[in-house]
Amino acid sequence: MTDAVIEDGGRVLRLQGKRFHAIWLLDNAQDGVTRDPGNGQRLITMADLPADPRLTEAGLTDGTLTVSIDGRALEFDRDWLVARAYDPCPALTLPAHATPWDATLTDIPTGNMAALQAGGDALRDWLSGVRQYGFARVTGMAAEPGGLFDIVALFGFVRETNYGRHFEVRTEVNPTNLAFTGLGLQAHTDNPYRDPVPTLQVLSCLENSAEGGENMVVDGFSAALRLRAENPEGFDLLARYSARFEYAGEAGVRLQSRRPMIELSPEGTLIGVRFNSRSIAPLTDVPFAHMAGYYAAYRQLSDIIDDTAQEVTFKLSPGEAFIVDNTRVLHARKGYSGEGSRWLQGCYADKDGLLSTLAALEAGA
Ligand code: FE2
């Protein structure tokens, strides 16, 4: 690979991994046509620059970049250019205490139920793990219905919805009937059609004797950061325009929301991800001129989420559970088959109570 490469039909120069537009190079030329050799002042206005200049030649020799733009030969000092690179754009901030992760994460925050119920350091560390990674496991529970409420009681309150105070995730595995075998689901956040969205989900395991059926989680923050590094314009489209989500799967229910897939705070901090291919509704808030780019970015984010390099998998045994920050971490289950059964119970809760309990523990209150 050479150090100076012309891209995008001559509109862009890639110099040692940094991209510069031809118009930017022309505007910042250091030659005597552009700047007075004596006092260094600019001699040109925007009217002197072509609207769509193209690079035709580029070469790097001994630290000097030589280019030809619309037939004009120009030279740049490489180090001067690299010091002024605007690619990639400045780093994106994450919420305080959040650490992005991918498949290399091995230290999953895990708490034993009895220790968590005793409070103190064990509870503080487990809650802190949820804040840092957006998910955590619980072990040592009785494999009995309703145990998931004990987890919520550690820090807050159940968020009741039209699915009830809790919901059953239960499939009798029957290989003779594909309809009841457990197909895998793409990683998603739950209920993006609600506003506000449930900010926590708890899933506890009562039975899991089927083959497969592992749980899988993907860090939405990590996926969004990767999208931004690979396609900054696409990231901006997913953050700038609202998606639409809808659920109308039962009588008397028509839940609708209008929120972006990638949510930034007014200061530009990444604060939320909504991603659920099963409940996305027709997108009507993206301007026509940006729709193709929006779909390209949506597909790219989907591919990143599906990349096994992003996922952490684990299999729950009866008496185990996990909690996810539903504004950040996507979850899924792998397909399962064979003999046996899989029975999980799920419920929603909210992060304000969790962070409040954590803050009080950290303050020694
Ligand atoms: Fe889900």
Side-chain angles (χ1 to χ4, degrees):
M1 183 189 229
T2 53
D3 286 334
V5 180
I6 295 172
E7 297 182 351
D8 194 17
R11 293 186 180 90
V12 171
L13 172 82
R14 184 181 292 271
L15 176 69
Q16 296 181 338
K18 307 287 185 189
R19 291 171 299 174
F20 297 88
H21 289 88
I23 184 75
W24 189 98
L25 291 170
L26 267 188
D27 192 34
N28 290 285
Q30 305 294 302
D31 66 341
V33 175
T34 309
R35 290 188 179 271
D36 184 285
N39 59 30
Q41 288 192 309
R42 282 168 60 86
L43 300 169
I44 60 168
T45 69
M46 284 306 292
D48 297 309
L49 295 176
D52 188 20
R54 305 295 182 98
L55 291 137
T56 52
E57 294 172 39
L60 187 64
T61 308
D62 297 333
T64 298
L65 173 75
T66 307
V67 295
S68 180
I69 304 177
D70 283 3
R72 256 179 82 189
L74 296 171
E75 287 189 353
F76 292 88
D77 179 78
R78 175 193 55 195
D79 294 339
W80 184 92
L81 268 183
V82 170
R84 287 156 182 79
Y86 52 94
D87 175 37
C89 38
L92 185 71
T93 57
L94 296 179
H97 308 294
T99 302
W101 49 266
D102 59 19
T104 61
L105 177 71
T106 53
D107 194 15
I108 300 173
T110 302
N112 173 272
M113 188 47 138
L116 294 175
Q117 287 180 322
D121 291 353
L123 180 59
R124 184 199 61 205
D125 292 348
W126 183 78
L127 296 171
S128 176
V130 178
R131 181 177 62 183
Q132 183 174 3
Y133 297 110
F135 79 110
R137 295 181 65 173
V138 179
T139 59
M141 301 167 60
E144 294 171 357
L148 73 178
F149 299 134
D150 294 339
I151 294 176
V152 177
L154 294 169
F155 58 80
F157 305 92
V158 169
R159 164 102 75 100
E160 197 163 353
T161 71
N162 54 296
Y163 301 130
R165 187 165 148 75
H166 81 281
F167 46 91
E168 306 288 345
V169 186
R170 186 170 198 171
T171 306
E172 295 297 334
V173 179
N174 175 4
T176 63
N177 187 336
L178 283 178
F180 295 109
T181 57
L183 299 175
L185 295 173
Q186 187 184 25
H188 58 276
T189 60
D190 258 36
N191 293 198
Y193 39 77
R194 295 186 200 282
D195 190 359
V197 74
T199 48
L200 292 171
Q201 179 176 192
V202 177
L203 282 165
S204 69
C205 178
L206 296 167
E207 297 175 7
N208 202 6
S209 59
E211 188 141 332
E214 292 91 352
N215 284 95
M216 184 257 275
V217 285
V218 173
D219 185 8
F221 282 0
S222 175
L225 289 171
R226 186 171 148 192
L227 174 68
R228 187 170 182 267
E230 294 177 1
N231 179 2
E233 297 84 4
F235 176 95
D236 286 344
L237 291 174
L238 296 188
R240 187 183 317 147
Y241 296 109
S242 293
R244 302 269 184 150
F245 299 95
E246 181 171 306
Y247 174 79
E250 59 188 272
V253 175
R254 197 169 198 88
L255 289 158
Q256 296 171 316
S257 74
R258 178 188 185 190
R259 288 281 175 164
M261 290 196 204
I262 294 172
E263 186 166 6
L264 304 177
S265 75
E267 306 77 36
T269 299
L270 179 57
I271 55 173
V273 172
R274 288 175 184 75
F275 189 90
N276 191 320
S277 58
R278 286 169 295 145
S279 58
I280 193 138
L283 300 167
T284 53
D285 297 293
V286 183
F288 183 87
H290 294 307
M291 189 60 89
Y294 187 97
Y295 265 98
Y298 179 21
R299 176 188 298 272
Q300 195 168 354
L301 178 61
S302 177
D303 289 345
I304 291 170
I305 287 167
D306 289 343
D307 185 349
T308 54
Q310 297 291 139
E311 73 181 43
V312 167
T313 58
F314 51 88
K315 184 162 183 173
L316 292 181
S317 298
E320 296 182 344
F322 75 104
I323 185 169
V324 288
D325 177 344
N326 192 49
T327 67
R328 168 184 173 183
V329 171
L330 297 79
H331 62 277
R333 77 158 188 243
K334 301 277 191 181
Y336 55 97
S337 61
E339 297 296 319
S341 61
R342 186 175 187 270
W343 179 19
L344 274 62
Q345 288 188 322
C347 74
Y348 299 115
D350 282 308
K351 217 166 54 170
D352 55 354
L354 187 149
L355 295 175
S356 164
T357 303
L358 175 57
L361 284 167
E362 288 179 330

